[in-house]
Amino acid sequence: MSYFKKILIANRGEIARRVIRTCKQLGIATVAVYSEADAEALFVDEADEAVCIGPAQAKKSYLDIDKVIEAAKQTGATAIHPGYGFLSENPNFARRCEQEGMTFIGPSARIIELMGSKIEARRQMQKAGVPVVPGWDGQLESVEMAVEIANRLGYPLMLKASAGGGGIGMHLVQDEEELIKVFGSTTQRAHSFFGDGTLFLEKYIQNPHHIEVQVACDAYGHAVHLFERECSVQRRNQKVVEESPSPFLSQTTREKLLAAALKGVREMGYTNVGTMEFIVDETEQFYFLEMNTRLQVEHPVTEEITGIDLVQLQIQLAAKEKLAFKQEDIEMKGHSIECRLYAEDPRTFFPSPGTIQSLTLPEREVRLDFAVKEGSVVSPYYDPMIGKIITKGADRDEALRHMEQALSSLQVEGIKTNVTLLEAVIQHDQFRKGVYTTRFLDELLTQKEVSKG
């Protein structure tokens, strides 16, 4: 069945290719929008139509709502898939699509706005009875007020931007002196990145796991989960390796976590595909962290263990289809791991743009969601992730073996990549035992064998 005749993809790189792949399977025509820097990119060639919307700078192309909407009108696209990043969680963009009579493939602007404010999201979850990290949700009107409340809550604390994301606008403060020192700069950073300097305080959870739940909700009150993903391998709050299911959770905690996620999305009347993110402490007590109202970078591991195409599901739900399955129909089969391949120096972590002169990819027991091929130019203007390596096994050990083989056979020349770091993670005893936390990668990076690259 064809849900929309033509979909415009308001994104680039591997996620644009990923959406195009599903659209082709569904018989839906696709429109790519691209910047001048991406004129020769793979996703531009693979789309049925392509429209250049501006120069390399994202704010003059991919983030320009008027240009994206004009491209949709020009090509007759009736729906827009935002991918992740860029405009994917911009309520003004979702609202504009609605005003123009186009379908935004995601939740409503109201929900995006609600979940875009971490303070409002916390309040919504508290209302639904979902545990949240102890903290202060009110407006921190001054550094003096922040100090007073922090002394009441007790250190260490996380100072966070309410409108923040991707680790930006977050600061761990150990004492009053540090809070006073960073309050002003964190406010300014939040203003600069998000146009909103509102901050709030949360208790810092020591050695946490970052675990998220994939959910899908239709417009008729039905909601399901597609199990959880462990996303604790992070550098500066950016995920590097993800897997599903979590090797840490007990079945009892898993069931409680999944139920809490569904309770939260039902309370707010969520529609389409989304992700509820939680932190889980060493005793398996979990707390709501935030909700991402879009497709996640790490969605392939969920697809691999459930057999459900999440992009197709997004499209179906945006077309007001009912969920085609019930919770009991969704089975977890096997284990899946994803590694993010970045074009970056493995020692300094600086981006490594340039031309890929040679590229040898693994061929067996692996799924590759890549933005590039041999000869592709990696631009300095965008996120340096160039691909994702995904493996699956009947169990975690098998998925790990496949990943180890895939990484060892991957060869990239012309640019630097983080493949040595990925290999170090996969081979590390702590990771193999499945007992790692969000501190794991920072600790690993202090070891000489990794820092040598």
Side-chain angles (χ1 to χ4, degrees), residues 6 46 104 109 158 180 187 193 254 267 325 330 359 436:
K6 187 181 290 186
E46 291 170 347
F104 176 82
M158 291 298 295
I180 294 169
T187 302
F193 278 89
R254 173 175 289 111
E267 174 70 28
F325 40 76
I330 307 170
L359 180 62
Y436 59 94

Side-chain angles (χ1 to χ4, degrees), residues 8 31-33 51 53 66-77:
L8 181 141
V31 179
V33 291
V51 179
I53 56 170
D66 289 339
K67 289 180 179 178
V68 173
I69 294 294
E70 181 55 37
K73 288 180 178 179
Q74 176 185 325
T75 56

Side-chain angles (χ1 to χ4, degrees), residues 151-172:
N151 288 335
R152 210 182 307 159
L153 291 170
Y155 295 93
L157 291 163
M158 291 298 295
L159 180 66
K160 291 185 173 184
S162 177
I168 299 169
M170 291 172 55
H171 205 104
L172 171 62

Side-chain angles (χ1 to χ4, degrees), residues 333-337 391-400 402:
K333 294 181 179 178
H335 198 99
S336 183
I337 301 171
T391 58
K392 183 187 177 183
D395 54 27
R396 189 170 186 263
D397 287 342
E398 186 178 9
L400 278 167
H402 291 328

